[in-house]
């Protein structure tokens, strides 16, 4: 009898711990979405202050440096990094720079609505990668939610048939789509490897490499950058973006190792879009049309379905 009671007691404690861990992971995911919304809102406001390509290169370089410093503080210093992790960090840094630049070029060459729609759908790549390579289980509800999310993005972007699409634009936007997706894949690879304890150094190195590449690109630009007393004020928001990036990339990397890909990536990306929509409505007083409202509702429903295990 005592053995049976102890067994039941042990099972109960185990279930309680699992429940707590499950809840903690979902809280982390919500906080990551909040950081994502903060970052994107700040970047959108910054675009008005730094309209030229060179100025935006400087802004992204500063953001990457702040992210690197924030990660050093969070991880309590610089630690050992293996060659395996360093090579992955080079790929991650290159993917970051590629996504920054191709997004800007795609918006210049073609419709912003389709650009945002396709680049956001980059989460499809790590989702399929985790499901196929790591054989992660998927429920029927999650599949339905996964299919609904791009549909919600489409209505939310509200693309117009009159918008022109060129081959040059397509090259930029699909490169951005791929580079965004590769970031998720690399997060999954490092956290599921024997070097998972180096995930902090992986991100530090990646953002440092990204900052160096962006600075070199800026120096190579012939475009002049206006400097002066307003320089610090103009780029002050890079601190907010850098800290938000450090938080969300660190949390997302850790979550990619404990949550199925079909929950982690679509929910964080979809949650970011839904959160940005709420900010635009309640903070900036923007009005949604009928299609955008439908898109928002579909995104929320799809997130709910994907959270059903």
């Amino acid at each position: 009898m005592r053995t049976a009671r102890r067994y039941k007691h042990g099972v109960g404690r185990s279930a309680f711990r699992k429940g707590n861990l499950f809840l903690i992971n979902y809280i982390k995911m919500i906080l990551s979405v909040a950081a994502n919304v903060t970052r994107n809102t700040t970047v959108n406001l910054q675009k008005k202050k730094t309209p030229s390509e060179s100025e935006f290169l400087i802004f992204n370089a500063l953001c990457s440096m702040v992210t690197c410093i924030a990660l050093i503080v969070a991880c309590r210093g610089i630690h050992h990094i293996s060659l395996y992790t360093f090579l992955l960090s080079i790929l991650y840094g290159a993917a970051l720079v590629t996504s920054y630049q191709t997004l800007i070029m795609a918006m210049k060459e073609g419709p912003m609505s389709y650009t945002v729609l396709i680049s956001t759908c980059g989460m499809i790549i790590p989702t399929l990668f985790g499901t196929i390579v790591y054989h992660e289980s998927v429920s029927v509800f999650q599949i339905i939610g996964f299919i609904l999310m791009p549909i919600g993005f489409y209505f939310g972007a509200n693309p117009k048939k009159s918008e022109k699409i060129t081959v040059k634009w397509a090259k930029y936007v699909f490169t951005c789509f791929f580079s965004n997706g590769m970031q998720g894949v690399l997060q999954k690879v490092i956290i599921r490897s024997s070097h998972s304890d180096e995930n902090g150094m992986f991100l530090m190195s990646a953002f440092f490499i990204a900052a160096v590449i962006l600075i070199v690109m800026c120096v190579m630009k012939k475009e002049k950058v206006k400097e002066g007393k307003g320089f610090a004020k103009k780029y002050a928001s890079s601190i907010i973006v850098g800290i938000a990036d450090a938080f969300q990339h660190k949390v997302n990397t850790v979550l990619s190792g404990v949550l199925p890909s079909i929950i982690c990536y679509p929910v964080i990306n979809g949650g970011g879009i839904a959160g940005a929509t709420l900010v635009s409505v309640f903070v900036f007083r923007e009005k949604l049309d009928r299609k955008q409202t439908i898109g928002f509702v579909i995104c929320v429903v799809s997130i709910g379905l994907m959270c059903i295990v």
Side-chain angles (χ1 to χ4, degrees):
M1 286 293 287
R2 287 181 181 177
T3 306
R5 282 177 187 174
R6 285 176 185 172
Y7 176 75
K8 286 180 181 178
H9 206 55
V11 171
R13 281 185 178 178
S14 178
F16 181 74
R17 285 173 185 170
K18 284 182 180 179
N20 277 351
L21 189 60
F22 190 78
L23 180 63
I24 289 167
N25 287 333
Y26 272 83
I27 290 171
K28 285 180 180 178
M29 193 159 56
I30 292 167
L31 291 173
S32 176
V33 169
N36 185 22
V37 172
T38 302
R39 181 212 190 276
N40 292 338
T41 303
T42 308
V43 169
N44 287 333
L45 292 171
Q46 181 67 28
K47 284 177 184 176
K48 297 175 183 178
K49 297 180 185 178
T50 53
S52 72
E53 193 176 337
S54 292
E55 286 177 321
F56 208 65
L57 278 168
I58 292 171
F59 175 71
N60 281 329
L62 288 171
C63 291
S64 297
M65 285 306 298
V66 171
T67 302
C68 183
I69 293 166
L71 286 165
I72 291 171
V73 173
C75 298
R76 298 179 183 180
I78 299 171
H79 307 285
H80 169 77
I81 183 171
S82 63
L83 179 62
Y84 174 83
T85 303
F86 183 68
L87 291 174
L88 287 181
S89 70
I90 292 173
L91 294 175
Y92 198 85
L96 286 168
V97 174
T98 304
S99 66
Y100 294 155
Q101 293 310 110
T102 51
L103 181 63
I104 294 169
M105 298 308 295
M107 285 183 173
K108 282 185 178 180
E109 293 292 331
M112 183 181 288
S113 54
Y114 280 112
T115 301
V116 174
L117 171 66
I118 295 171
S119 62
T120 306
C121 286
M123 55 87 184
I124 292 171
I125 297 173
T127 302
L128 293 176
F129 178 81
T131 305
I132 295 168
V133 176
Y134 294 108
H135 308 290
E136 295 170 346
S137 59
V138 180
S139 70
V140 175
F141 290 111
Q142 288 172 334
I143 293 171
I144 296 169
F146 184 69
I147 294 169
L148 282 175
M149 185 159 283
I151 297 171
F153 288 167
Y154 176 81
F155 280 102
N158 196 16
K160 297 175 182 177
K161 292 180 180 178
S162 59
E163 291 177 318
K164 293 181 180 179
I165 293 174
T166 63
V167 175
K168 196 174 183 180
W169 168 82
K171 287 179 181 178
Y172 285 131
V173 77
F174 282 105
T175 303
C176 184
F177 166 85
F178 181 75
S179 59
N180 281 339
M182 283 308 297
Q183 290 173 44
V185 169
L186 291 168
Q187 287 175 351
K188 196 81 175 176
V189 169
I190 188 67
I191 207 69
R192 293 292 292 264
S193 72
S194 58
H195 301 276
S196 60
D197 58 328
E198 296 178 4
N199 68 83
M201 283 303 300
F202 161 73
L203 292 171
M204 278 182 225
S205 302
F207 277 97
F208 179 78
I209 290 164
V212 171
I213 295 171
L214 289 164
I215 291 168
V216 170
M217 288 174 69
C218 187
V219 170
M220 290 175 69
K221 281 277 178 188
K222 294 179 181 179
E223 189 178 321
K224 291 183 179 179
V225 180
K226 294 179 182 180
E227 295 182 20
K229 293 179 181 179
F231 186 85
K233 188 178 179 181
K234 182 185 283 188
Y235 296 102
S237 57
S238 63
I239 298 171
I240 298 170
V241 176
I243 293 171
D245 269 348
F247 181 83
Q248 68 166 333
H249 280 266
K250 175 67 174 171
V251 171
N252 291 355
T253 302
V254 173
L255 287 177
S256 66
V258 293
L259 289 177
S261 298
I262 202 162
I263 294 177
C264 186
Y265 301 107
V267 171
I268 289 171
N269 280 270
I273 296 293
T277 304
L278 292 174
V279 169
S280 67
V281 171
F282 293 106
V283 178
F284 298 107
R285 302 294 179 184
E286 295 179 7
K287 291 183 179 180
L288 301 180
D289 60 26
R290 190 178 176 182
K291 281 188 176 180
Q292 288 173 324
T293 304
I294 292 169
F296 175 75
V297 173
I298 291 173
C299 276
V300 172
V301 171
S302 69
I303 289 169
L305 288 170
M306 281 186 285
C307 287
I308 300 173
V309 181

